[in-house]
Amino acid sequence: MKDQTRKKARLSAEDRRALLEDAACACIARGGIRDFTVDKIVAEAGVSRGLITHHFGSMDGLLAAVYSRMYGEWIAAISAPRPGLAPIDALIEALVSPALFSRDVLNVWLTLWGEITTNPVLRAEHRARYGQYRASIAALLREAAPAAAGFDAEAVASAFICLVDGLGVQRCVEPTLLSETDARAACWTLLRPYLDPVGAGSVAKARS
Amino acid sequence: MKDQTRKKARLSAEDRRALLEDAACACIARGGIRDFTVDKIVAEAGVSRGLITHHFGSMDGLLAAVYSRMYGEWIAAISAPRPGLAPIDALIEALVSPALFSRDVLNVWLTLWGEITTNPVLRAEHRARYGQYRASIAALLREAAPAAAGFDAEAVASAFICLVDGLGVQRCVEPTLLSETDARAACWTLLRPYLDPVGAGSVAKARS
DNA sequence: GGCGCTACTGAACGGTTGTACAGTATCAGC
DNA sequence: GCTGATACTGTACAACCGTTCAGTAGCGCC
């Protein structure tokens, strides 16, 4: 009864778009781009077939919206302050947190990356956001580095971003082979020599 | 005329399989998993529609064969000796060479990674090969490291592999933003502190 | 030179794809 | 309460999907 009346509820365009984006993410997380399908998504969202075209014009429009949303959430998550943690520690903790380092999230990223080659809209979105992403990480590194060290923060930031992407790939491909702890350790394997040069001689030592 | 007689040529099962795998790779490189399609692949290979089922049983069978082939070629490429280069230098040169670091190759990898979540056969193949891949890189690191250093080669190898995967992702996503030189530099950003600890104090210095 | 194996063909199949579109129902403004 | 705007529905459609299968033809073998 309630459901019947509920079902007819009308949402604002914005809310409905968000709901459809969520459903699309869920489908992609479950089955990759092969499950990014009108039927699957509307079933997941519990709406009729015509709604996607109505709100996004086409499936490509929906995919672009999903990409934009994912990038925004990623940036927001790594930018959120974590009281009591140094900025770099906060960054790494965010990156290995379930909000970003879960298979659902990472599988959506992997799928979107795979579509970028074919989809100019996605590529434009990436180009617009990536520069800022890298710059903010480079700035973080410069702040965290000891004053004496004069390393190339842009280069380290670039390598760090690639490492994070690669950790995401491995996590997707075989989650049991790469724990959250492993990922944290990998991040420090790259950064420690630059941020903690005092211990450079004993670089072998693991950081708990 | 010639083509007509040529067309009727019969190949060994092995040769035809290789030919279809090549065609499949070409299609995936061009359009991701959406172009991994019976029609597209047989058109690329210049054969009839029924051939894929005949040789591989199903499209999944073909995809598994492609994955296996890609992994084999990857291992072979990084294992090939490069006279005059230290083992680690040879490894990195192989990784940034066009044979491995081209968009065509990397886009196939990206697509296959995206399918692993859904495809148990691919995952089994990965699990079987990854351990050996990582172990061989760890062994290379141990050989290259100065005797005094006692760092965890397995951990560095793991991080290095993730970095390489991430470089591949970035290269696919936006080739103009990541040159072969950039990739080489990123590899050394990770490895130099462990393999060249003498210069650890001046870790900032770029290696040409 | 004929025989049998099998690589190979191509039409046919039911199911799924994304989009178009005519029609319905709900809510805001008056 | 009426009206207009629009969120929403659901059928229709042509194109394409992977697989099946009966039939054809090239090649090794005797």
Side-chain angles (χ1 to χ4, degrees):
Chain A
M1 282 284 200
K2 262 185 195 171
D3 289 338
Q4 280 186 349
T5 50
R6 273 271 186 87
K7 235 180 185 174
K8 312 228 167 184
R10 241 165 105 131
L11 275 66
S12 72
E14 191 185 5
D15 287 350
R16 187 64 80 188
R17 285 170 65 98
L19 194 146
L20 286 169
E21 289 162 14
D22 279 344
C25 280
C27 288
I28 295 175
R30 195 184 309 129
I33 201 67
R34 299 177 116 122
D35 277 17
F36 180 74
T37 275
V38 176
D39 287 327
K40 301 251 174 72
I41 294 168
V42 299
E44 175 80 25
V47 297
S48 70
R49 258 176 81 72
L51 247 204
I52 290 176
T53 308
H54 182 255
H55 281 294
F56 296 94
S58 69
M59 288 299 280
D60 268 1
L62 212 200
L63 197 65
V66 166
Y67 188 82
S68 178
R69 181 196 186 80
M70 290 290 293
Y71 224 127
E73 286 179 357
W74 187 272
I75 299 287
I78 66 170
S79 304
R82 300 209 169 203
L85 253 53
I88 292 283
D89 291 278
L91 169 66
I92 294 180
E93 286 313 306
L95 287 171
V96 302
S97 72
L100 300 189
F101 200 60
S102 76
R103 199 190 192 162
D104 281 355
V105 174
L106 294 170
N107 207 32
V108 176
W109 276 112
L110 197 47
T111 300
L112 290 168
W113 289 335
E115 288 297 302
I116 278 193
T117 301
T118 325
N119 193 321
V121 183
L122 261 49
R123 173 126 21 123
E125 177 85 16
H126 171 78
R127 206 178 308 204
R129 300 238 200 187
Y130 176 75
Q132 187 196 345
Y133 175 33
R134 198 178 81 141
S136 69
I137 289 189
L140 227 56
L141 290 174
R142 265 189 287 267
E143 284 175 32
F151 68 92
D152 184 347
E154 291 287 335
V156 176
S158 181
F160 181 71
I161 289 176
C162 286
L163 174 62
V164 169
D165 288 352
L167 289 167
V169 170
Q170 291 290 339
R171 177 75 161 187
C172 268
V173 162
E174 188 54 70
T176 61
L177 256 49
L178 188 77
S179 69
E180 172 204 315
T181 308
D182 296 332
R184 201 179 352 239
C187 290
W188 282 114
T189 296
L190 174 65
L191 295 184
R192 193 181 311 115
Y194 299 94
L195 301 185
D196 193 15
V198 179
S202 63
V203 87
K205 231 187 196 164
R207 179 155 172 173
S208 69
Chain B
M1 284 278 199
K2 261 184 193 170
D3 289 340
Q4 281 187 349
T5 51
R6 275 270 186 90
K7 235 180 185 174
K8 313 228 167 184
R10 238 164 106 133
L11 275 69
S12 72
E14 192 185 5
D15 288 348
R16 187 62 80 186
R17 286 170 63 98
L19 195 145
L20 286 170
E21 288 163 13
D22 280 344
C25 281
C27 288
I28 295 175
R30 194 184 309 129
I33 201 68
R34 299 177 116 122
D35 276 18
F36 180 74
T37 275
V38 175
D39 288 327
K40 301 250 174 74
I41 293 168
V42 299
E44 174 80 25
V47 297
S48 69
R49 258 177 81 71
L51 246 203
I52 290 177
T53 308
H54 179 68
H55 282 295
F56 296 94
S58 68
M59 288 297 281
D60 268 1
L62 212 202
L63 197 65
V66 166
Y67 188 82
S68 179
R69 181 196 185 83
M70 290 289 295
Y71 223 128
E73 287 179 357
W74 186 273
I75 299 286
I78 66 171
S79 305
R82 301 210 167 201
L85 254 51
I88 293 284
D89 291 278
L91 169 65
I92 294 180
E93 286 312 307
L95 287 172
V96 302
S97 72
L100 300 189
F101 201 61
S102 74
R103 199 188 191 164
D104 281 355
V105 173
L106 294 171
N107 207 30
V108 177
W109 275 113
L110 199 46
T111 300
L112 290 169
W113 288 334
E115 289 298 303
I116 279 192
T117 302
T118 325
N119 193 321
V121 184
L122 262 48
R123 170 123 26 122
E125 179 85 17
H126 170 79
R127 205 177 307 206
R129 299 238 201 186
Y130 175 75
Q132 187 196 343
Y133 175 34
R134 197 178 82 140
S136 69
I137 289 189
L140 228 55
L141 289 174
R142 265 188 287 266
E143 284 174 33
F151 67 94
D152 184 348
E154 292 286 335
V156 176
S158 182
F160 182 71
I161 289 176
C162 286
L163 175 62
V164 170
D165 289 351
L167 289 167
V169 169
Q170 291 289 340
R171 177 75 161 187
C172 269
V173 161
E174 188 54 71
T176 61
L177 255 48
L178 189 77
S179 71
E180 172 203 317
T181 309
D182 296 331
R184 202 181 350 243
C187 290
W188 281 114
T189 295
L190 174 66
L191 295 184
R192 195 182 309 116
Y194 299 94
L195 301 185
D196 192 15
V198 179
S202 62
V203 85
K205 228 183 197 168
R207 179 156 171 172
S208 68

